[in-house]
Each structure stands twice: as structure tokens, then as C-alpha cells.
Amino acid sequence: MKHKYQNFTIYIENDYESLSHTAAKIIAAQIKERPSGIFGFATGGTPVGTYKCLIEMNKANEIDFSQITTFNLDEYYPINKTNSQSYDFFMKENLFGYVNINHEKIHIPNGEAKDVASECENYECQIADAGGIDFQILGIGLNGHIGFNEPAETFQTFTHYVSLDTTTIEANSRFFESVAEVPKSAITMGIKTIMMSRRILLIINGAQKADIAYETVFGSITPRVPASVLQLHHDVTIVLDREAAEKMLPRI
Ligand code: F6R
């Protein structure tokens, strides 16, 4: 079901499968509209189903990735690209390894960089040189983080090095053998980098995200809930499953 609430276009789907199909269709339509556009990708559990649908569409020749340029939101730091938990590895495993993308046009912050400050600066410059991001895909953390912009006193603007919140480390430990193995820091696009994207797609799944989904759309705009800044963006589409939308449903 499609709803419009202020700047948000909100799709509420019955389950994870239909959420993934809807999100993939929106991305595919954008790729068709901008075959050589600049696309921002996210990692994490949420977009895996969406990426599976995109792989199927690419196999069926329904979408062509060959001209697009991509920038991923974030990467653990430090981490080797060969580490199966790196976001570089994740993107190959879940999307880039299975579609006709030009690997020279893929950008992911370099978790192996010697100098993290210059890697951040360089990443931001590469985005600017490409002309900015046309379409940014986002997930959301339980604490409202987007990318790895954790709750803070102020919004962090451009690509930067960040210490991860304990809650994020715990949430992400499901992908690792133990909590101790989760990297404690990362490189992430900043809030301004994300907000400068021309269009944003936020995907939210599961009952545990119902509170933060509600806060994002209806709460005060505060760096304590980084995703709340999306209320200030002119073109945000949110795709949720029914469980994640539970709390917001009465108000839209
Ligand atoms: C991933 C990212 C994070 C995730 C968020 C939700 O690139 O930037 O903000 O989107 O942590 O992760 P999942 O989908 O695993 O709940």
C-alpha cells in the first residue's frame, strides 16, 4: 500500500519478500531512468532480499548495470577486503559479483587505507567529482543510525572516521563469531553527504524497528536520532514491512 506523508512516500508491504520486490522495482526504475547514474548502496541484513531481486532482474535482462557508478555508504576500519565481514566482500557476495556492473565504477571506502583521514577526504572528493549521488539506498540501525552516523550531539557532515556505538557492535555481532570480533570503528559517508543525494530510498524491516521507524518520520529532528534528518530531504521513499510500520500506521 502506498501512502504520502509530508516529504515521504511510504510503501507498506506484507512481508520481507514483497518489501524486497518493491524496493528492487524502485531501484530498477531509477536505473532505467538514469542508465549512467550515480547510485549509493548499503549493506546489512535488510537489503539482501532486494539485491537478490536485482540479480534476478539483471539475469532476465530487465536492468542493465553496465553504465552505473556506485558509492557504498560505509566500511569497517581497519579491515581487509578479503575478510568475509568486510562490506567490500559483502557487496561482491550479495550483488556486484552477479550483475553486469563495471567493477571500475564501484567505490567502497577503503578499510585497508594507511591514512584514514585522507581516505575519508578522498572518498568525499570522488563523490563530488562524479557529480553527487543520484539515488541513495539506506537501511537504519536500531538506534536510528544511517550509514554509520551514530547518535551524537551534532550531525557529522562529510565522510568521516567513526567509533561504533556499543548497540551497533552488538547488533552487528550476529554476522561474526563473537562480539569481540566486530570492528569498533568505521568510515562512513556523513549526514550531509547523504542529504545531498538527489533521491533516497530507506528500507526498514521487522518489528524491532517499529519504534525507530516511527521516530524517523514523526519524531523531532535531532542528531540523537540521525535518520530524523530525512524529514528535511525533499524526496525520500520508505519501504517497510507491516511489522516495522505497525507504530506509524495509525498516523499515515
Ligand atoms: C550499512 C549501513 C547501516 C545499516 C544498518 C541496518 O551499510 O550503513 O546503517 O543499514 O545498520 O542494518 P541491518 O539491515 O543489518 O539491520
Side-chain angles (χ1 to χ4, degrees):
M1 213 191 309
K2 184 174 170 182
H3 304 257
K4 191 85 192 126
Y5 178 79
Q6 295 189 350
N7 60 325
F8 296 111
T9 303
I10 302 175
Y11 290 85
I12 300 175
E13 302 297 338
N14 279 338
D15 52 27
Y16 182 69
E17 207 185 327
S18 43
L19 166 153
S20 300
H21 273 110
T22 298
K25 269 199 241 154
I26 294 169
I27 299 166
Q30 277 297 299
I31 296 179
K32 279 184 193 149
E33 202 178 307
R34 292 176 181 266
S36 53
I38 316 297
F39 288 79
F41 280 93
T43 59
T46 311
V48 169
T50 303
Y51 295 164
K52 278 204 177 104
C53 294
L54 289 177
I55 292 169
E56 290 309 314
M57 288 173 171
N58 186 242
K59 271 198 194 132
N61 285 326
E62 287 165 22
I63 38 167
D64 175 18
F65 285 81
S66 66
Q67 302 297 317
I68 68 164
T69 297
T70 71
F71 286 92
N72 260 74
L73 275 169
D74 43 20
E75 175 62 285
Y76 290 121
Y77 185 88
I79 198 160
N80 288 325
K81 291 180 190 186
T82 50
N83 184 320
S84 61
Q85 295 309 328
S86 76
Y87 287 171
D88 199 282
F89 197 95
F90 174 100
M91 289 309 296
K92 281 192 190 101
E93 282 286 296
N94 288 286
L95 184 64
F96 295 156
Y98 302 96
V99 293
N100 71 330
I101 198 158
N102 177 348
H103 287 255
E104 282 171 15
K105 293 188 176 213
I106 294 172
H107 303 83
I108 300 176
N110 183 4
E112 298 178 355
K114 295 245 164 353
D115 179 347
V116 67
S118 59
E119 172 59 20
C120 294
E121 210 182 310
N122 183 35
Y123 199 68
E124 192 69 36
C125 285
Q126 284 182 298
I127 296 173
D129 288 349
I133 292 166
D134 293 315
F135 187 86
Q136 177 65 55
I137 301 157
L138 296 177
I140 186 171
L142 289 169
N143 62 3
H145 73 212
I146 46 176
F148 275 136
N149 291 276
E150 301 285 28
E153 292 306 316
T154 53
F155 287 115
Q156 290 288 304
T157 53
F158 296 114
T159 302
H160 59 283
Y161 172 71
V162 65
S163 298
L164 300 180
D165 261 24
T166 332
T167 53
T168 301
I169 293 170
E170 265 159 32
N172 287 5
S173 67
R174 68 192 197 275
F175 301 116
F176 292 80
E177 293 281 307
S178 71
V179 154
E181 282 181 29
V182 187
K184 307 290 178 290
S185 42
I187 297 172
T188 181
M189 283 186 197
I191 290 292
K192 199 158 182 177
T193 327
I194 294 170
M195 289 294 280
M196 287 190 319
S197 310
R198 287 177 263 282
R199 206 180 152 194
I200 291 175
L201 170 67
L202 171 62
I203 314 174
I204 315 181
N205 178 59
Q208 76 284 9
K209 299 243 174 105
D211 285 336
I212 200 63
Y214 181 90
E215 283 304 310
T216 298
V217 175
F218 300 105
S220 340
I221 299 166
T222 163
R224 292 261 135 235
V225 182
S228 64
V229 77
L230 298 175
Q231 292 176 35
L232 300 176
H233 193 281
H234 64 283
D235 191 352
V236 182
T237 301
I238 311 183
V239 183
L240 310 97
D241 73 332
R242 219 166 348 121
E243 289 185 350
E246 188 71 30
K247 203 164 168 198
M248 68 165 66
L249 255 178
R251 287 192 62 179
I252 55 175

